[in-house]
Amino acid sequence: MHVVVTGAAGFLGRALTGALLADGETVTALDRRLYVGLATAGLDVITADLLDRDDGIRQALASADTVFHLAGCPGVRDRGAAVAWARHRDNVLATARVLALVPRRTPLVVTSSSSVYGGAPGAPGRPSVEDDPVRPLGGYARSKVAVEELCARRAAAGGNVVVARPFTVAGEGQRPDMALASWLAAARTDRPLRVLGSLDRTRDVTDVRDVVRVLRDLAAGGTPGTVNVGTGVGRPLRDLVAAVGAALDIDVRTVIVPAERVEPADTLADTRRLRALLGYVPRTDLLDLVASQAAASQAAAPPRQPVLVT
Ligand code: NAD
């Protein structure tokens, strides 16, 4: 099977591409950043922007058996005109281009985000359901709502498109701007962990390896529609902080800083649709997940002391 992964050099894209290659799939890894991985027979790398008039991109997307569109401009907190434009370009315009090039019958999975919900609605502890009205709190979430609208039009015209709404994803290769990655880096250099708002805030955290499995199974299932990708369990930030301390075997210090409006207090996925589609829901072992992310980032980090080569 020939699979195209857009955003292949990113956090989710690298994990997905690696898993597909490990299972012997033929993969086109497409990203404007260079995808660096083990050279294997099934790997084709295209280093180009999705908005480039590039024949390689056109051909790959037109001929793939399955496409995972993960390329985008993530991150809820960045502000400013440049970021607003980057979100529109890399989330909305890039998705429009992918939709234009992938044939309607080709299974296509597009990553939106749980940020379209603007946090868990109503009573405390109530999870977000796919049919809830969207409530984007900032520019990132609004760009994802626009992405979803493009996909909905495609589905209404008979397109085979699944919109996945991942909640917080963690694990090896996590983007450095995300909480766990930045906390691990801070703890290693004896700096306090910056916690937004309060240690009581909660996040639905899924291991990137489970997200990869879910995305693959959603594509194979071929049921168009929108689906949450989460565990259905809200983790207080204090548990994530404790997991960082346990993973590094140190006492960590925290500093609470005001949360921005775009940061919902709590996120929680309603997982009934995911279970109905796949027959399972990911379960995250937080201590194991943070320990594996810590080990991977330790291995990837440059040594703190200069290495003398004689
Ligand atoms: P990432 O930034 O690590 O990866 C995105 C990749 O897309 C980057 O390598 C970037 O170079 C590439 N890209 C962006 N615009 C491009 C373009 N125009 N042409 C070619 N390549 C382009 O992000 P990630 O964390 O891996 O997230 C992947 C997707 O999942 C994004 O759409 C993100 O919004 C969504 N998502 C991620 C999370 C999470 O917890 N990481 C949660 C919810 C949703």
Side-chain angles (χ1 to χ4, degrees):
M1 190 164 80
H2 174 213
V3 183
V4 175
V5 179
T6 76
F11 168 37
L12 304 190
R14 274 186 59 78
L16 175 61
T17 302
L20 290 164
L21 289 169
D23 287 344
E25 307 288 6
T26 301
V27 183
T28 300
L30 199 166
D31 201 299
R32 67 176 166 219
R33 292 194 288 168
L34 180 64
Y35 170 84
V36 182
L38 282 181
T40 63
L43 174 63
D44 179 34
V45 176
I46 299 180
T47 308
D49 194 294
L50 276 164
L51 295 172
D52 287 351
R53 302 276 148 198
D54 180 293
D55 278 346
I57 292 180
R58 196 189 309 270
Q59 257 170 28
L61 291 175
S63 64
D65 298 306
T66 301
V67 176
F68 294 94
H69 175 46
L70 313 184
C73 178
V76 295
R77 284 187 295 278
D78 306 334
R79 283 171 294 189
V83 175
W85 166 243
R87 284 180 182 137
H88 179 69
R89 184 186 189 285
D90 294 332
N91 294 340
V92 185
L93 298 183
T95 301
R97 178 131 176 89
V98 169
L99 292 171
L101 294 176
V102 176
R104 262 191 289 183
R105 64 177 184 286
T106 306
L108 168 63
V109 177
V110 175
T111 45
S112 175
S113 164
S114 64
S115 66
V116 298
Y117 291 120
R126 180 193 177 278
S128 299
V129 185
E130 287 86 346
D131 296 330
D132 284 343
V134 293
R135 201 170 58 98
L137 296 181
Y140 170 69
R142 279 194 297 276
S143 74
K144 289 297 189 181
V145 169
V147 164
E148 292 199 1
E149 284 166 1
L150 293 174
C151 293
R153 282 211 284 278
R154 157 81 154 219
N160 188 352
V161 57
V162 177
V163 172
R165 288 179 178 163
F167 283 61
T168 302
V169 187
E172 179 172 354
Q174 195 189 42
R175 299 195 323 271
D177 60 294
M178 296 184 71
L180 273 173
S182 70
W183 288 351
L184 284 166
R188 281 197 172 108
T189 48
D190 200 25
R191 285 175 290 132
L193 281 47
R194 282 168 55 88
V195 175
L196 300 180
S198 148
L199 285 164
D200 297 327
R201 294 185 150 216
T202 57
R203 288 290 176 270
D204 188 326
V205 183
T206 311
D207 190 317
V208 66
R209 293 165 292 193
D210 291 326
V211 171
V212 162
R213 177 177 171 216
V214 165
L215 296 178
R216 293 178 69 179
D217 289 344
L218 287 172
T223 308
T226 301
V227 59
N228 289 337
V229 180
T231 63
V233 180
R235 311 290 185 149
L237 297 186
R238 71 175 70 256
D239 289 2
L240 274 77
V241 166
V244 168
L248 301 180
D249 196 19
I250 53 176
D251 292 328
V252 292
R253 292 171 296 127
T254 55
V255 56
I256 309 294
V257 296
E260 296 185 26
R261 202 186 69 86
V262 294
E263 286 275 355
D266 303 289
T267 67
L268 185 62
D270 182 294
T271 53
R272 284 171 294 177
R273 188 172 293 174
L274 187 62
R275 185 181 295 286
L277 286 172
L278 303 186
Y280 68 88
V281 168
R283 278 194 307 186
T284 295
D285 177 335
L286 209 50
L287 288 175
D288 175 64
L289 170 62
V290 178
S292 75
Q293 181 170 335
S297 56
Q298 176 69 25
R304 287 174 62 193
Q305 298 297 325
V307 178
L308 293 179
V309 182
T310 52

